Amino acid sequence: MFLRRVASNTLPLSRRLFCSIGSHDISKAISELNQEMESVFGEPPPSSLSGSIDNQSMAQDVKLSTEEMDGKESFTGLTHIGSKGEAQMVDVSHKDISKRVAIAHGKVILGREVFDLVSANQMGKGDVLSVAKLAGICGAKQTSNLIPLCHNINLMHVRVDLALNPHDFSVEIKGEAASDGKTGVEMEALTAVTVAGLTVYDMCKAASKYIQITDIRLEHKTGGKSGDWSRDK
């Protein structure tokens, strides 16, 4: 009989509580649940249990969750996602034109044997660093064709530098892109480094399958609404 009473009294209230989230006062619902438990068990719930619930925080969390479920909460931190979660190209028509520069970095770990071959310019496909340098520049100019939501911008300058690092038998890659426009050039700098790294891999893959392209990252950018940024700050 006791079990029947528990089932009949608590289940409907729990169902009402979770089904009515967002439309009823959470504090009132919790109070009703406490009263229901007291009528069933003959005493109120332990103070440690009820005291551990922050009604205001819970109500705020529920409100945010409800707004997300109702489609009212947009992805404010992701500019390439619309209010309904669909992909979109950002409208930059209202932005000011400014000088924009971005610098990116990457690394290709070759291993000792391949490193020695590249250093001596003895790879079968030719001068690895020179070919990769040109490939990186071309890659930066093709960024909007490779990345679907990137804007097609006029690049004023692209520079790609590659240097052999004997300490870890790698090729260090630095890419820089600059433009006078309404959107940044971070993707162009990152694409330059990535394509240069892939070219190094392609030029050397016959000598080793253990080559790794790693540490591709933005190091510095200037211009635009967000201003200047550096990784070391």
Side-chain angles (χ1 to χ4, degrees), residues 73 86 93 132 134 146 161 175 180 199:
E73 182 74 5
E86 77 282 6
S93 58
L134 292 175
L146 298 171
D161 293 320
D180 290 331
T199 302

Side-chain angles (χ1 to χ4, degrees), residues 31-144:
S31 177
E32 292 177 356
L33 180 58
N34 290 338
Q35 293 176 6
E36 194 83 13
M37 292 177 66
E38 183 175 0
S39 67
V40 173
F41 297 106
E43 60 181 8
S47 59
S48 61
L49 175 62
S50 59
S52 65
I53 300 177
D54 186 337
N55 293 344
Q56 184 175 359
S57 297
M58 182 176 179
Q60 181 67 19
D61 291 342
V62 170
K63 179 181 178 182
L64 291 175
S65 298
T66 305
E67 288 180 352
E68 289 177 1
M69 289 187 292
D70 291 341
K72 298 177 183 177
E73 182 74 5
S74 62
F75 299 94
T76 56
L78 301 176
T79 56
H80 287 81
I81 298 180
S83 59
K84 296 182 180 179
E86 77 282 6
Q88 66 176 8
M89 191 171 186
V90 177
D91 183 0
V92 297
S93 58
H94 63 284
K95 291 187 176 183
D96 296 330
I97 294 176
S98 66
K99 176 69 177 293
R100 299 169 186 266
V101 178
I103 298 174
H105 173 270
K107 177 185 290 189
V108 183
I109 301 176
L110 301 174
R112 181 185 291 272
E113 291 185 10
V114 179
F115 181 87
D116 290 342
L117 290 172
V118 174
S119 299
N121 196 16
Q122 293 180 354
M123 293 302 300
K125 288 190 175 182
D127 187 343
V128 174
L129 302 186
S130 295
V131 175
K133 179 184 180 74
L134 292 175
I137 294 173
C138 292
K141 294 160 62 178
Q142 295 296 319
T143 300
S144 62

Side-chain angles (χ1 to χ4, degrees), residues 200-230:
V200 171
Y201 187 98
D202 177 64
M203 298 282 287
C204 302
K205 67 180 187 294
S208 174
K209 298 297 186 291
Y210 292 97
I211 299 170
Q212 299 180 52
I213 302 173
T214 184
D215 294 342
I216 296 176
R217 60 183 184 265
L218 180 69
E219 294 289 353
H220 178 72
K221 60 87 60 179
T222 62
K225 184 178 180 181
S226 61
D228 297 353
W229 177 89
S230 291

Side-chain angles (χ1 to χ4, degrees), residues 102-106 128-141 155 157-163 171-178 188-200:
I103 298 174
H105 173 270
V128 174
L129 302 186
S130 295
V131 175
K133 179 184 180 74
L134 292 175
I137 294 173
C138 292
K141 294 160 62 178
L155 289 170
H157 169 70
V158 177
R159 178 175 178 177
V160 178
D161 293 320
L162 296 94
V171 178
E172 301 277 355
I173 307 172
K174 178 182 177 182
E176 180 179 350
E188 282 71 18
L190 287 164
T191 300
V193 169
T194 303
V195 173
L198 287 169
T199 302
V200 171

